[in-house]
Amino acid sequence: MPATAEIQKFVAPQPLLVDNGPELARCSAALRKAFGTSFTLWDGHTGEILYASVQQPGSNDLFRGQLARAIHGSEPQFIADEDCVLLLAVPLEGPQGRCIVATSSFIVRTVAQNEHLNGAATLLGLDQARAMAWIARQPVWSPEALLRLAAAAQSQIKAEAKACELQREVDKLSDNLASTYEEICLLHSVTQNLRINSDEEQLCSLVLRWLKDCLPAQAVAIQLLPVAKEGQITYKARTNSVLYTLGQCPVDNDGFTRLIDTLNLEAGCGPLVANRAVTGEADWPFPEVREVIVVPMAEGNRVLGWLSIINHTAGSEFGTVEASLVNSIGAVLGIHSSNRDLYRQQAEFLASVVRALTSAIDAKDPYTCGHSDRVARIGVRLAKELGCDAKMLHTIYMAGLLHDIGKIGIDDAVLRKPGKLTEAEFDHIKQHPELGYRILADMHQLADVLPAVLHHHEQWDGKGYPFKLAGEQIPLIARILAVADAYDAMSSDRPYRRGMPLPRVEELFQLGAAQQWDAEVIKAYFSAKADITKIAQEERANLTLDVQQWT
Ligand SMILES: [Fe+2]
């Protein structure tokens, strides 16, 4: 009978491999390599066979009885000795500190053909004939060699297990480092784009895209909460919540608000991770929300919004890595939103100061009511024609509103005098640019408009006031407002005179180009005259100052 067929008869009928984890496979392979035969692996505590060797005959029940001896010692030992057969047991440390015992039978002397080996046959779990046949094919070992080899194999297995454990630690650290690196990169990208005056929708859309790229979520969402009550006097403050989403978001703005209520989230709460233990409950009201992380975007106890990722792309559950990243971004966005709102409040306060000052000018000189507003808007149109950037346009607008603020310090009798002014009266009124400068000089937020307030009565030929600056010595903003101011002053009706007809105004502009006014600004007027005429005819615009654009 072929040897392999003979061996197959010795195979125990139970499953060969009960638990073939990588650690057990490694133990088994190391022993096979050292001894040239495989070992049976046992759970040292339960006596359960973890790996049954196909090359070993044996009465497992008999062996099981011997295992207790092996697990009491850490050294390899013989736990059975019958005739010429020794049963070698090698205690090993398995996965999670589990005690494993590896056993194998070895022949330790040559056997004569007519020997009766009843004990060995029993130990091997075979009848005499088969026991003899198996023994005849085995190499003969010395017991000392077996023990030495077993001790060496045991050390090697232990060292390999340690190396594997260290490798697992390294892999885990690498994973942690990778997710931390990803988190830092994302935070870096977000902070690089946090501008106090950047468009909120644009920022939200950038953050959502980054989060969606980094995290295994089907949808990412940012809900921004109102920062002002409805009806509150404000220019740009949000009075309703708004939801920005990316991906397949299963809830709309109202649904998201209900989700927050259901999760009972409030200021000061950390990241909330709800996986199927929560969303799988029968009374969970959002069947399409299977996994969700929500973090507050808060500053102290004030929640300005919520950041959320919804539904794992691979159907798994969200964990601490995702929660940590979303929480970091939520914290940064919370502080940013709060700063942005403080900035808005400050800008709105400045706007109300400007409105109050503009009203004060109008109250002082009711005949020219609306003049500042028209000059501001005509100035903006001229600046646009000259190719000025957005910042300059807004500075011009503010400067137009405030250019005559110094008239607050001029005597009413002079300011409202319907007839021709005396030289002394004119000298008095000529003080208003410097008075205006002094009024506004301490408001650093209005520093950019000061050149216009101070120099809007200078002339290109140097014959203006207060400093007789000439040509490009005069700040551009003042040259632009000089034309806007002159246009409105000449064309507007006054109680004591009619406004000049437009052709006459334009004739004066042509005559005064490169003399009283900057020829380039006059040219811009003629290019934009249709729009400017329209602006001059409009009712006074409400001062809905776009405070976000004042930076
Ligand atoms: Fe003026």
Side-chain angles (χ1 to χ4, degrees), residues 425-452:
E425 287 167 340
F426 192 51
D427 283 346
H428 177 54
I429 218 165
K430 276 160 63 176
Q431 292 173 8
H432 80 271
E434 287 173 277
L435 281 172
Y437 181 90
R438 287 203 291 275
I439 289 169
L440 301 180
D442 289 337
M443 293 182 71
H444 69 271
Q445 295 94 331
L446 297 175
D448 288 348
V449 310
L450 290 178

PDB file of all heavy atoms in Angstrom, residues 425-452:
ATOM      1  N   GLU A 425     -17.103 135.294   3.183  1.00  0.00           N
ATOM      2  CA  GLU A 425     -17.981 134.129   3.309  1.00  0.00           C
ATOM      3  C   GLU A 425     -17.421 132.944   2.498  1.00  0.00           C
ATOM      4  O   GLU A 425     -17.447 131.794   2.941  1.00  0.00           O
ATOM      5  CB  GLU A 425     -19.399 134.472   2.814  1.00  0.00           C
ATOM      6  CG  GLU A 425     -20.154 135.374   3.772  1.00  0.00           C
ATOM      7  CD  GLU A 425     -21.412 135.971   3.146  1.00  0.00           C
ATOM      8  OE1 GLU A 425     -21.513 136.013   1.891  1.00  0.00           O
ATOM      9  OE2 GLU A 425     -22.286 136.404   3.909  1.00  0.00           O
ATOM     10  N   PHE A 426     -16.901 133.277   1.338  1.00  0.00           N
ATOM     11  CA  PHE A 426     -16.338 132.200   0.510  1.00  0.00           C
ATOM     12  C   PHE A 426     -15.098 131.586   1.176  1.00  0.00           C
ATOM     13  O   PHE A 426     -14.900 130.375   1.170  1.00  0.00           O
ATOM     14  CB  PHE A 426     -16.002 132.750  -0.892  1.00  0.00           C
ATOM     15  CG  PHE A 426     -15.703 131.659  -1.874  1.00  0.00           C
ATOM     16  CD1 PHE A 426     -16.573 130.580  -2.040  1.00  0.00           C
ATOM     17  CD2 PHE A 426     -14.536 131.689  -2.644  1.00  0.00           C
ATOM     18  CE1 PHE A 426     -16.294 129.558  -2.939  1.00  0.00           C
ATOM     19  CE2 PHE A 426     -14.253 130.661  -3.549  1.00  0.00           C
ATOM     20  CZ  PHE A 426     -15.134 129.602  -3.687  1.00  0.00           C
ATOM     21  N   ASP A 427     -14.289 132.478   1.777  1.00  0.00           N
ATOM     22  CA  ASP A 427     -13.118 131.960   2.508  1.00  0.00           C
ATOM     23  C   ASP A 427     -13.553 131.029   3.631  1.00  0.00           C
ATOM     24  O   ASP A 427     -12.896 130.016   3.907  1.00  0.00           O
ATOM     25  CB  ASP A 427     -12.312 133.129   3.107  1.00  0.00           C
ATOM     26  CG  ASP A 427     -11.466 133.822   2.044  1.00  0.00           C
ATOM     27  OD1 ASP A 427     -11.313 133.227   0.945  1.00  0.00           O
ATOM     28  OD2 ASP A 427     -11.002 134.941   2.295  1.00  0.00           O
ATOM     29  N   HIS A 428     -14.659 131.407   4.280  1.00  0.00           N
ATOM     30  CA  HIS A 428     -15.168 130.577   5.376  1.00  0.00           C
ATOM     31  C   HIS A 428     -15.609 129.200   4.848  1.00  0.00           C
ATOM     32  O   HIS A 428     -15.247 128.160   5.397  1.00  0.00           O
ATOM     33  CB  HIS A 428     -16.332 131.294   6.060  1.00  0.00           C
ATOM     34  CG  HIS A 428     -16.968 130.500   7.157  1.00  0.00           C
ATOM     35  ND1 HIS A 428     -16.265 129.959   8.209  1.00  0.00           N
ATOM     36  CD2 HIS A 428     -18.264 130.130   7.372  1.00  0.00           C
ATOM     37  CE1 HIS A 428     -17.082 129.299   9.006  1.00  0.00           C
ATOM     38  NE2 HIS A 428     -18.317 129.392   8.510  1.00  0.00           N
ATOM     39  N   ILE A 429     -16.329 129.250   3.773  1.00  0.00           N
ATOM     40  CA  ILE A 429     -16.854 127.978   3.241  1.00  0.00           C
ATOM     41  C   ILE A 429     -15.710 127.110   2.692  1.00  0.00           C
ATOM     42  O   ILE A 429     -15.802 125.872   2.690  1.00  0.00           O
ATOM     43  CB  ILE A 429     -17.937 128.259   2.160  1.00  0.00           C
ATOM     44  CG1 ILE A 429     -19.065 127.218   2.307  1.00  0.00           C
ATOM     45  CG2 ILE A 429     -17.404 128.250   0.759  1.00  0.00           C
ATOM     46  CD1 ILE A 429     -20.307 127.581   1.583  1.00  0.00           C
ATOM     47  N   LYS A 430     -14.632 127.760   2.278  1.00  0.00           N
ATOM     48  CA  LYS A 430     -13.483 127.005   1.752  1.00  0.00           C
ATOM     49  C   LYS A 430     -12.753 126.199   2.842  1.00  0.00           C
ATOM     50  O   LYS A 430     -11.854 125.415   2.551  1.00  0.00           O
ATOM     51  CB  LYS A 430     -12.496 127.961   1.056  1.00  0.00           C
ATOM     52  CG  LYS A 430     -12.920 128.238  -0.378  1.00  0.00           C
ATOM     53  CD  LYS A 430     -12.315 129.489  -0.977  1.00  0.00           C
ATOM     54  CE  LYS A 430     -10.828 129.481  -1.108  1.00  0.00           C
ATOM     55  NZ  LYS A 430     -10.345 130.712  -1.791  1.00  0.00           N
ATOM     56  N   GLN A 431     -13.180 126.423   4.064  1.00  0.00           N
ATOM     57  CA  GLN A 431     -12.543 125.657   5.156  1.00  0.00           C
ATOM     58  C   GLN A 431     -13.112 124.230   5.273  1.00  0.00           C
ATOM     59  O   GLN A 431     -12.577 123.404   5.999  1.00  0.00           O
ATOM     60  CB  GLN A 431     -12.754 126.375   6.497  1.00  0.00           C
ATOM     61  CG  GLN A 431     -12.000 127.682   6.607  1.00  0.00           C
ATOM     62  CD  GLN A 431     -12.382 128.431   7.869  1.00  0.00           C
ATOM     63  OE1 GLN A 431     -13.092 127.932   8.740  1.00  0.00           O
ATOM     64  NE2 GLN A 431     -11.909 129.667   7.971  1.00  0.00           N
ATOM     65  N   HIS A 432     -14.242 123.977   4.569  1.00  0.00           N
ATOM     66  CA  HIS A 432     -14.935 122.709   4.853  1.00  0.00           C
ATOM     67  C   HIS A 432     -14.116 121.455   4.500  1.00  0.00           C
ATOM     68  O   HIS A 432     -14.250 120.442   5.195  1.00  0.00           O
ATOM     69  CB  HIS A 432     -16.343 122.674   4.220  1.00  0.00           C
ATOM     70  CG  HIS A 432     -16.391 122.352   2.770  1.00  0.00           C
ATOM     71  ND1 HIS A 432     -16.313 123.306   1.787  1.00  0.00           N
ATOM     72  CD2 HIS A 432     -16.523 121.154   2.111  1.00  0.00           C
ATOM     73  CE1 HIS A 432     -16.399 122.725   0.594  1.00  0.00           C
ATOM     74  NE2 HIS A 432     -16.533 121.420   0.760  1.00  0.00           N
ATOM     75  N   PRO A 433     -13.221 121.472   3.492  1.00  0.00           N
ATOM     76  CA  PRO A 433     -12.441 120.241   3.285  1.00  0.00           C
ATOM     77  C   PRO A 433     -11.554 119.905   4.482  1.00  0.00           C
ATOM     78  O   PRO A 433     -11.486 118.752   4.904  1.00  0.00           O
ATOM     79  CB  PRO A 433     -11.611 120.560   2.039  1.00  0.00           C
ATOM     80  CG  PRO A 433     -12.382 121.603   1.317  1.00  0.00           C
ATOM     81  CD  PRO A 433     -12.991 122.445   2.401  1.00  0.00           C
ATOM     82  N   GLU A 434     -10.909 120.917   5.035  1.00  0.00           N
ATOM     83  CA  GLU A 434     -10.019 120.635   6.177  1.00  0.00           C
ATOM     84  C   GLU A 434     -10.818 120.291   7.435  1.00  0.00           C
ATOM     85  O   GLU A 434     -10.410 119.435   8.225  1.00  0.00           O
ATOM     86  CB  GLU A 434      -9.104 121.833   6.438  1.00  0.00           C
ATOM     87  CG  GLU A 434      -8.028 121.952   5.365  1.00  0.00           C
ATOM     88  CD  GLU A 434      -7.221 123.228   5.504  1.00  0.00           C
ATOM     89  OE1 GLU A 434      -7.696 124.273   5.018  1.00  0.00           O
ATOM     90  OE2 GLU A 434      -6.140 123.166   6.108  1.00  0.00           O
ATOM     91  N   LEU A 435     -11.964 120.967   7.581  1.00  0.00           N
ATOM     92  CA  LEU A 435     -12.817 120.630   8.726  1.00  0.00           C
ATOM     93  C   LEU A 435     -13.274 119.174   8.631  1.00  0.00           C
ATOM     94  O   LEU A 435     -13.239 118.424   9.606  1.00  0.00           O
ATOM     95  CB  LEU A 435     -14.068 121.542   8.734  1.00  0.00           C
ATOM     96  CG  LEU A 435     -13.867 122.951   9.268  1.00  0.00           C
ATOM     97  CD1 LEU A 435     -15.130 123.779   9.036  1.00  0.00           C
ATOM     98  CD2 LEU A 435     -13.549 122.901  10.765  1.00  0.00           C
ATOM     99  N   GLY A 436     -13.661 118.790   7.433  1.00  0.00           N
ATOM    100  CA  GLY A 436     -14.112 117.407   7.208  1.00  0.00           C
ATOM    101  C   GLY A 436     -12.997 116.424   7.518  1.00  0.00           C
ATOM    102  O   GLY A 436     -13.215 115.374   8.144  1.00  0.00           O
ATOM    103  N   TYR A 437     -11.794 116.768   7.070  1.00  0.00           N
ATOM    104  CA  TYR A 437     -10.638 115.897   7.326  1.00  0.00           C
ATOM    105  C   TYR A 437     -10.458 115.694   8.830  1.00  0.00           C
ATOM    106  O   TYR A 437     -10.254 114.582   9.305  1.00  0.00           O
ATOM    107  CB  TYR A 437      -9.389 116.533   6.700  1.00  0.00           C
ATOM    108  CG  TYR A 437      -8.139 115.721   6.880  1.00  0.00           C
ATOM    109  CD1 TYR A 437      -7.774 114.764   5.935  1.00  0.00           C
ATOM    110  CD2 TYR A 437      -7.329 115.903   8.005  1.00  0.00           C
ATOM    111  CE1 TYR A 437      -6.617 114.005   6.104  1.00  0.00           C
ATOM    112  CE2 TYR A 437      -6.189 115.136   8.183  1.00  0.00           C
ATOM    113  CZ  TYR A 437      -5.835 114.195   7.234  1.00  0.00           C
ATOM    114  OH  TYR A 437      -4.703 113.438   7.403  1.00  0.00           O
ATOM    115  N   ARG A 438     -10.562 116.818   9.575  1.00  0.00           N
ATOM    116  CA  ARG A 438     -10.345 116.715  11.029  1.00  0.00           C
ATOM    117  C   ARG A 438     -11.460 115.899  11.699  1.00  0.00           C
ATOM    118  O   ARG A 438     -11.212 115.167  12.645  1.00  0.00           O
ATOM    119  CB  ARG A 438     -10.246 118.119  11.643  1.00  0.00           C
ATOM    120  CG  ARG A 438      -8.938 118.812  11.315  1.00  0.00           C
ATOM    121  CD  ARG A 438      -8.603 119.897  12.334  1.00  0.00           C
ATOM    122  NE  ARG A 438      -9.504 121.038  12.243  1.00  0.00           N
ATOM    123  CZ  ARG A 438      -9.323 122.063  11.395  1.00  0.00           C
ATOM    124  NH1 ARG A 438      -8.286 122.071  10.581  1.00  0.00           N
ATOM    125  NH2 ARG A 438     -10.165 123.057  11.386  1.00  0.00           N
ATOM    126  N   ILE A 439     -12.671 116.037  11.181  1.00  0.00           N
ATOM    127  CA  ILE A 439     -13.790 115.276  11.778  1.00  0.00           C
ATOM    128  C   ILE A 439     -13.558 113.767  11.637  1.00  0.00           C
ATOM    129  O   ILE A 439     -13.816 112.994  12.552  1.00  0.00           O
ATOM    130  CB  ILE A 439     -15.135 115.675  11.109  1.00  0.00           C
ATOM    131  CG1 ILE A 439     -15.524 117.092  11.528  1.00  0.00           C
ATOM    132  CG2 ILE A 439     -16.247 114.681  11.451  1.00  0.00           C
ATOM    133  CD1 ILE A 439     -16.684 117.679  10.732  1.00  0.00           C
ATOM    134  N   LEU A 440     -13.049 113.380  10.469  1.00  0.00           N
ATOM    135  CA  LEU A 440     -12.933 111.936  10.194  1.00  0.00           C
ATOM    136  C   LEU A 440     -11.550 111.355  10.508  1.00  0.00           C
ATOM    137  O   LEU A 440     -11.377 110.132  10.469  1.00  0.00           O
ATOM    138  CB  LEU A 440     -13.241 111.653   8.716  1.00  0.00           C
ATOM    139  CG  LEU A 440     -14.629 112.074   8.219  1.00  0.00           C
ATOM    140  CD1 LEU A 440     -14.764 111.721   6.743  1.00  0.00           C
ATOM    141  CD2 LEU A 440     -15.733 111.382   9.009  1.00  0.00           C
ATOM    142  N   ALA A 441     -10.603 112.230  10.808  1.00  0.00           N
ATOM    143  CA  ALA A 441      -9.208 111.774  10.890  1.00  0.00           C
ATOM    144  C   ALA A 441      -8.988 110.646  11.901  1.00  0.00           C
ATOM    145  O   ALA A 441      -8.126 109.791  11.703  1.00  0.00           O
ATOM    146  CB  ALA A 441      -8.282 112.945  11.221  1.00  0.00           C
ATOM    147  N   ASP A 442      -9.778 110.630  12.972  1.00  0.00           N
ATOM    148  CA  ASP A 442      -9.552 109.617  14.004  1.00  0.00           C
ATOM    149  C   ASP A 442     -10.241 108.291  13.716  1.00  0.00           C
ATOM    150  O   ASP A 442     -10.071 107.336  14.465  1.00  0.00           O
ATOM    151  CB  ASP A 442     -10.014 110.143  15.371  1.00  0.00           C
ATOM    152  CG  ASP A 442      -9.083 111.226  15.875  1.00  0.00           C
ATOM    153  OD1 ASP A 442      -7.918 111.240  15.421  1.00  0.00           O
ATOM    154  OD2 ASP A 442      -9.523 112.068  16.679  1.00  0.00           O
ATOM    155  N   MET A 443     -11.039 108.270  12.662  1.00  0.00           N
ATOM    156  CA  MET A 443     -11.718 106.999  12.347  1.00  0.00           C
ATOM    157  C   MET A 443     -10.866 106.227  11.349  1.00  0.00           C
ATOM    158  O   MET A 443     -10.931 106.467  10.138  1.00  0.00           O
ATOM    159  CB  MET A 443     -13.109 107.264  11.755  1.00  0.00           C
ATOM    160  CG  MET A 443     -14.043 107.886  12.775  1.00  0.00           C
ATOM    161  SD  MET A 443     -15.679 108.143  12.104  1.00  0.00           S
ATOM    162  CE  MET A 443     -16.262 106.469  11.983  1.00  0.00           C
ATOM    163  N   HIS A 444     -10.041 105.300  11.891  1.00  0.00           N
ATOM    164  CA  HIS A 444      -9.084 104.634  11.002  1.00  0.00           C
ATOM    165  C   HIS A 444      -9.792 103.812   9.929  1.00  0.00           C
ATOM    166  O   HIS A 444      -9.251 103.574   8.856  1.00  0.00           O
ATOM    167  CB  HIS A 444      -8.115 103.769  11.811  1.00  0.00           C
ATOM    168  CG  HIS A 444      -8.757 102.574  12.438  1.00  0.00           C
ATOM    169  ND1 HIS A 444      -9.322 102.616  13.687  1.00  0.00           N
ATOM    170  CD2 HIS A 444      -8.947 101.317  11.969  1.00  0.00           C
ATOM    171  CE1 HIS A 444      -9.825 101.409  13.975  1.00  0.00           C
ATOM    172  NE2 HIS A 444      -9.610 100.613  12.956  1.00  0.00           N
ATOM    173  N   GLN A 445     -11.042 103.421  10.197  1.00  0.00           N
ATOM    174  CA  GLN A 445     -11.758 102.651   9.172  1.00  0.00           C
ATOM    175  C   GLN A 445     -12.042 103.506   7.934  1.00  0.00           C
ATOM    176  O   GLN A 445     -12.321 102.982   6.863  1.00  0.00           O
ATOM    177  CB  GLN A 445     -13.107 102.157   9.703  1.00  0.00           C
ATOM    178  CG  GLN A 445     -13.014 101.171  10.843  1.00  0.00           C
ATOM    179  CD  GLN A 445     -13.116 101.862  12.203  1.00  0.00           C
ATOM    180  OE1 GLN A 445     -12.733 103.024  12.343  1.00  0.00           O
ATOM    181  NE2 GLN A 445     -13.580 101.134  13.192  1.00  0.00           N
ATOM    182  N   LEU A 446     -11.998 104.839   8.103  1.00  0.00           N
ATOM    183  CA  LEU A 446     -12.311 105.728   6.980  1.00  0.00           C
ATOM    184  C   LEU A 446     -11.060 106.400   6.419  1.00  0.00           C
ATOM    185  O   LEU A 446     -11.162 107.377   5.678  1.00  0.00           O
ATOM    186  CB  LEU A 446     -13.315 106.794   7.437  1.00  0.00           C
ATOM    187  CG  LEU A 446     -14.678 106.243   7.884  1.00  0.00           C
ATOM    188  CD1 LEU A 446     -15.552 107.362   8.426  1.00  0.00           C
ATOM    189  CD2 LEU A 446     -15.390 105.552   6.724  1.00  0.00           C
ATOM    190  N   ALA A 447      -9.899 105.840   6.767  1.00  0.00           N
ATOM    191  CA  ALA A 447      -8.637 106.475   6.344  1.00  0.00           C
ATOM    192  C   ALA A 447      -8.577 106.651   4.823  1.00  0.00           C
ATOM    193  O   ALA A 447      -8.075 107.677   4.334  1.00  0.00           O
ATOM    194  CB  ALA A 447      -7.461 105.625   6.824  1.00  0.00           C
ATOM    195  N   ASP A 448      -9.119 105.691   4.079  1.00  0.00           N
ATOM    196  CA  ASP A 448      -9.009 105.759   2.613  1.00  0.00           C
ATOM    197  C   ASP A 448      -9.823 106.908   2.003  1.00  0.00           C
ATOM    198  O   ASP A 448      -9.560 107.321   0.872  1.00  0.00           O
ATOM    199  CB  ASP A 448      -9.477 104.435   1.988  1.00  0.00           C
ATOM    200  CG  ASP A 448      -8.482 103.315   2.232  1.00  0.00           C
ATOM    201  OD1 ASP A 448      -7.358 103.622   2.669  1.00  0.00           O
ATOM    202  OD2 ASP A 448      -8.836 102.150   2.001  1.00  0.00           O
ATOM    203  N   VAL A 449     -10.837 107.363   2.731  1.00  0.00           N
ATOM    204  CA  VAL A 449     -11.669 108.414   2.127  1.00  0.00           C
ATOM    205  C   VAL A 449     -11.118 109.815   2.435  1.00  0.00           C
ATOM    206  O   VAL A 449     -11.537 110.792   1.829  1.00  0.00           O
ATOM    207  CB  VAL A 449     -13.148 108.320   2.585  1.00  0.00           C
ATOM    208  CG1 VAL A 449     -13.687 106.924   2.433  1.00  0.00           C
ATOM    209  CG2 VAL A 449     -13.347 108.822   4.008  1.00  0.00           C
ATOM    210  N   LEU A 450     -10.170 109.902   3.359  1.00  0.00           N
ATOM    211  CA  LEU A 450      -9.665 111.220   3.777  1.00  0.00           C
ATOM    212  C   LEU A 450      -9.094 112.044   2.613  1.00  0.00           C
ATOM    213  O   LEU A 450      -9.365 113.250   2.527  1.00  0.00           O
ATOM    214  CB  LEU A 450      -8.617 111.065   4.886  1.00  0.00           C
ATOM    215  CG  LEU A 450      -9.173 110.598   6.230  1.00  0.00           C
ATOM    216  CD1 LEU A 450      -8.047 110.424   7.239  1.00  0.00           C
ATOM    217  CD2 LEU A 450     -10.211 111.574   6.767  1.00  0.00           C
ATOM    218  N   PRO A 451      -8.302 111.441   1.695  1.00  0.00           N
ATOM    219  CA  PRO A 451      -7.772 112.253   0.576  1.00  0.00           C
ATOM    220  C   PRO A 451      -8.886 112.905  -0.250  1.00  0.00           C
ATOM    221  O   PRO A 451      -8.728 114.032  -0.726  1.00  0.00           O
ATOM    222  CB  PRO A 451      -7.000 111.226  -0.269  1.00  0.00           C
ATOM    223  CG  PRO A 451      -6.682 110.122   0.685  1.00  0.00           C
ATOM    224  CD  PRO A 451      -7.822 110.069   1.655  1.00  0.00           C
ATOM    225  N   ALA A 452      -9.999 112.211  -0.384  1.00  0.00           N
ATOM    226  CA  ALA A 452     -11.103 112.770  -1.167  1.00  0.00           C
ATOM    227  C   ALA A 452     -11.759 113.923  -0.418  1.00  0.00           C
ATOM    228  O   ALA A 452     -12.107 114.955  -1.001  1.00  0.00           O
ATOM    229  CB  ALA A 452     -12.137 111.681  -1.456  1.00  0.00           C
TER     230      ALA A 452
END
